[in-house]
Amino acid sequence: MGFYVLFPNPRGSYGAGETFTQANVKDFGAGDLRDILAGVEAAVKAAPIDPERVGITGWSYGGYMTMWTVTQTNRFRAAVAGAGIANWKSYYGQNSIDQWMIPFFGASVYDDPAVYAKSSPIEYIRNVKTPTLIIVGERDAECPAPQSYEFWHALKTLGVKTQLVVYDGEGHHFNRPEHKLDRMRRTIEWFRENM
């Protein structure tokens, strides 16, 4: 379809040892964003990619990184955030998998709300200029739909081009083939329209 696709593995991810996995503890969005941006620049140099027509997308942690990225840089012409996290403070009380958060943030949100706010895209929402499509499953318990709604509502209020699509009956991983196909179709259309 004419797109190059880069799948970065930034710090905090698995598969490169314990030190690499722990490299974004109390630092969500900082070093991992630098890693992603470095990967993009390496790809632009290595392949015939138009550096002015680059988009970003991700799901779950990648959805969070997409939301975070558009609050931190205008490098990308378009974004598609799937099952993302807009606000770590409210997310703490909304999700069904919060046990992992204390080791990464160093405390509960009730003991150290500042460390959660520091990495929350919603805290920097006024910086966003990137057209952003937001996709989520209605029954997502890992990255609940209210997180996507909060991000979309803020962008809409601030006049940033955005769209929110909530898939009925879907959780964190989509099961219905027609929803999987529709999600891909919408992603491709959003990038074509905005890049």
Side-chain angles (χ1 to χ4, degrees), residues 6 8-13 20 23-24 29-42 61 65:
L6 169 69
N9 188 33
R11 70 190 74 189
S13 302
F20 186 76
N24 67 344
D32 34 10
L33 177 55
R34 288 193 304 274
D35 293 344
I36 291 167
L37 292 173
V40 168
E41 297 314 316
Y61 174 70
M65 284 305 298

Side-chain angles (χ1 to χ4, degrees), residues 110-188:
Y110 313 115
D111 293 324
D112 189 0
V115 74
Y116 288 83
K118 176 181 94 162
S119 295
S120 291
I122 205 70
E123 297 288 326
Y124 309 92
I125 197 70
R126 293 184 89 46
N127 297 335
V128 182
K129 305 287 184 262
T130 307
T132 304
L133 170 64
I134 302 160
I135 299 172
V136 70
E138 171 199 22
R139 295 182 179 176
D140 193 331
E142 293 178 36
C143 297
Q147 291 292 312
S148 292
Y149 181 83
E150 183 174 354
F151 200 75
W152 167 79
H153 186 270
L155 294 182
K156 184 178 172 204
T157 300
L158 295 170
V160 176
K161 183 177 181 181
T162 188
Q163 183 180 15
L164 172 66
V165 181
V166 180
Y167 287 86
D168 290 339
E170 296 288 5
H172 194 60
H173 302 286
F174 285 16
N175 292 317
R176 294 173 61 183
E178 63 270 26
H179 287 167
K180 292 177 183 181
L181 288 171
D182 186 68
R183 184 177 82 187
M184 183 57 67
R185 179 187 59 78
R186 287 176 187 272
T187 297
I188 291 167

